[in-house]
Amino acid sequence: DAYESSEGFFDNLEDVEAMFQISMKIPLFENSLFVEGDGLFLGFTLQAWWQIYADNISKPFRETNYQPELFYLTPIGWHPFDGNTALAFGIEHQSNGRSQFLSRSWNRVYMQILFEKENFGLSLRPWIRLSEDPKEFEFDPSGDDNPDIEDFMGNFELGFAYKWHNFEFNFQGRQNFSTHNGSAELGFTFPLFGRLRGYATVFSGYGDSMIDYNYSQTRFGLGIVLTDIL
């Protein structure tokens, strides 16, 4: 529905499309800062949804999301079940780089609790959205484009990964306890050849992309990955 104002584009969108993601993490200091093993990092994730099967509209990129962040990560001396734990504190921006009716963005500060033991990893990341000024009029370019985004994208994210032999299972879920909206995604990776691994995934809920933050959908995907979570 977000594309209804684009005549000719809306009617030719396909349900099947290609999606890719590139993520990177860059340490800002070579040595530890305060305790052994801690660090300050820059992170960046790019996700793109490509209408590669939409021949009538020249196969455009339907949506592209950009997510830069700055975070501090430190191990902590807590070892439940003989595992290792860490804390991260960060600030991030996420947007789709669009304007007017198609613009979506928000800024968050978050705390992340990490646990790992052997072939299992767990992450809990609650966040607080940084408020923006409301729009003074409908076409105001400086106001909040999506004031209700937390109602659908939630207040926290829970994820885990488990490696069994040469296979990896992962889960990521978001939830807003007030509205009971959120999402869940299950993934599974398996060996192909060389560094390439196969990837199967199913997503259900809100916020598969920024443009879809208030639209609930179910998506199935099959592709390749270069690196696993663990």
Side-chain angles (χ1 to χ4, degrees):
D1 291 346
Y3 301 101
E4 279 188 309
S5 59
S6 301
E7 187 176 351
F9 187 79
F10 169 78
D11 295 332
N12 289 284
L13 289 173
E14 298 289 343
D15 290 337
V16 180
E17 61 186 359
M19 181 267 186
F20 67 84
Q21 173 176 319
I22 299 172
S23 298
M24 61 185 70
K25 181 179 72 173
I26 303 170
L28 297 182
F29 299 94
E30 293 184 3
N31 301 317
S32 300
L33 297 176
F34 306 109
V35 299
E36 183 66 28
D38 72 345
L40 188 65
F41 298 86
L42 278 176
F44 181 77
T45 294
L46 182 146
Q47 294 176 303
W49 288 260
W50 185 9
Q51 283 280 303
I52 193 172
Y53 307 105
D55 295 329
N56 293 334
I57 47 176
S58 301
K59 308 178 188 297
F61 284 94
R62 177 179 66 86
E63 172 80 347
T64 305
N65 291 173
Y66 310 90
Q67 187 172 329
E69 60 183 310
L70 175 69
F71 63 94
Y72 171 74
L73 176 67
T74 179
I76 54 178
W78 182 40
H79 302 281
F81 307 105
D82 295 323
N84 298 312
T85 57
L87 282 178
F89 303 91
I91 181 170
E92 65 182 8
H93 168 77
Q94 188 178 19
S95 70
N96 64 355
R98 309 289 283 273
S99 60
Q100 295 299 331
F101 292 119
L102 296 180
S103 176
R104 305 287 186 270
S105 67
W106 63 338
N107 301 301
R108 295 177 286 179
V109 292
Y110 66 84
M111 179 185 74
Q112 187 173 17
I113 305 169
L114 300 162
F115 169 80
E116 64 173 8
K117 181 181 179 182
E118 298 173 351
N119 54 351
F120 176 78
L122 178 70
S123 166
L124 176 64
R125 188 172 71 135
W127 57 68
I128 297 175
R129 185 190 182 189
L130 301 179
S131 61
E132 301 178 44
D133 294 331
K135 287 182 178 292
E136 296 183 4
F137 51 92
E138 185 179 8
F139 297 102
D140 185 358
S142 61
D144 191 346
D145 296 313
N146 34 244
D148 60 346
I149 191 170
E150 272 188 302
D151 294 342
F152 300 93
M153 297 285 280
N155 310 111
F156 77 95
E157 184 178 83
L158 174 68
F160 69 80
Y162 176 73
K163 195 162 190 175
W164 179 69
H165 297 292
N166 207 11
F167 303 93
E168 184 175 288
F169 303 87
N170 57 73
F171 168 84
Q172 188 177 81
R174 297 189 303 263
Q175 179 72 22
N176 183 305
F177 288 120
S178 298
T179 62
H180 305 293
N181 293 326
S183 66
E185 182 171 13
L186 287 170
F188 168 64
T189 69
F190 49 91
L192 288 178
F193 56 88
R195 291 183 59 88
L196 293 182
R197 295 178 59 81
Y199 183 54
T201 180
V202 57
F203 172 95
S204 183
Y206 292 93
D208 183 39
S209 67
M210 290 291 291
I211 197 70
D212 300 317
Y213 81 90
N214 58 353
Y215 174 66
S216 181
Q217 60 186 301
T218 299
R219 166 181 56 80
F220 300 91
L222 186 67
I224 59 173
V225 295
L226 296 178
T227 58
D228 284 327
I229 296 176
L230 297 178

